[in-house]
């Protein structure tokens, strides 16, 4: 694992500490690196309405989006969960990722023992509905 990749994994795992997850009790962390090199973290933030809940991946992406001039593209995303088999992003997060990822964006799913599952975005979400469909 490269130094940068290690750093992203550590940031994603650390971000779990900020999770607000009284309903699921699952603490998820994410780290997103943009193509300009900036890194943003996120954690899941649950809500009593359930529908107001947002996943760690979207928190990290929106933090990056809100602090950078467009166009931004995501170079890599790390998602950290406590599960034996690292959890993948949900469908809604995949759709948000489709807005800012490229087919080659590296997606890494990791657990607390740093067991990794690595894939490209195009493998995580093949045939995604993307901005190009509305052009
Ligand atoms: Zn999600």
């Amino acid at each position: 694992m490269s130094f940068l990749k290690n750093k992203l994994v550590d940031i994603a795992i650390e971000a779990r500490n900020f999770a607000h997850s009284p309903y699921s009790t699952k603490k998820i962390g994410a780290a997103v690196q943009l193509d300009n090199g900036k890194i943003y973290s996120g954690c899941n933030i649950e809500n009593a309405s359930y529908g107001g809940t947002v996943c760690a991946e979207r928190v990290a992406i929106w933090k990056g989006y809100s602090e950078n001039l467009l166009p931004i593209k995501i170079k890599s995303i790390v998602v950290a969960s406590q599960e034996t088999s690292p959890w993948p992003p949900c469908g809604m997060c995949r759709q948000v990722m489709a807005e800012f990822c490229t087919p080659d964006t590296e997606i890494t799913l990791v657990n607390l023992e740093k067991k990794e599952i690595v894939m490209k975005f195009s493998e995580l979400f093949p045939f995604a509905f993307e901005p190009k469909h509305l052009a």
Side-chain angles (χ1 to χ4, degrees), residues 11 19 33 41 56-57 76 112 126 133:
I11 289 170
Q33 185 189 27
S41 65
E57 299 94 311
S76 58
L112 302 186
H133 292 105

Side-chain angles (χ1 to χ4, degrees), residues 28 30 32 42 55-62 77 79 88-90 93 97:
I28 311 298
V32 169
C55 302
E57 299 94 311
R58 279 177 284 151
V59 170
I61 291 169
W62 289 336
I77 300 176
V79 183
C90 74
C93 285
M97 289 175 181

Side-chain angles (χ1 to χ4, degrees), residues 27-85:
K27 295 181 179 297
I28 311 298
V32 169
Q33 185 189 27
L34 305 181
D35 57 4
N36 64 11
K38 293 182 181 177
I39 296 170
Y40 296 88
S41 65
C43 61
N44 54 324
I45 304 172
E46 296 179 350
N47 186 277
S49 73
Y50 284 41
T53 294
V54 65
C55 302
E57 299 94 311
R58 279 177 284 151
V59 170
I61 291 169
W62 289 336
K63 283 168 71 177
Y65 179 92
S66 63
E67 295 180 17
N68 288 274
L69 291 173
L70 288 174
I72 61 165
K73 284 296 174 187
I74 297 172
K75 186 175 180 190
S76 58
I77 300 176
V78 175
V79 183
S81 63
Q82 65 210 51
E83 311 307 315
T84 303
S85 181

Side-chain angles (χ1 to χ4, degrees), residues 83-104:
E83 311 307 315
T84 303
S85 181
W87 275 7
C90 74
M92 192 174 290
C93 285
R94 292 177 199 210
Q95 187 60 52
V96 170
M97 289 175 181
E99 195 80 13
F100 305 113
C101 288
T102 72
D104 291 329

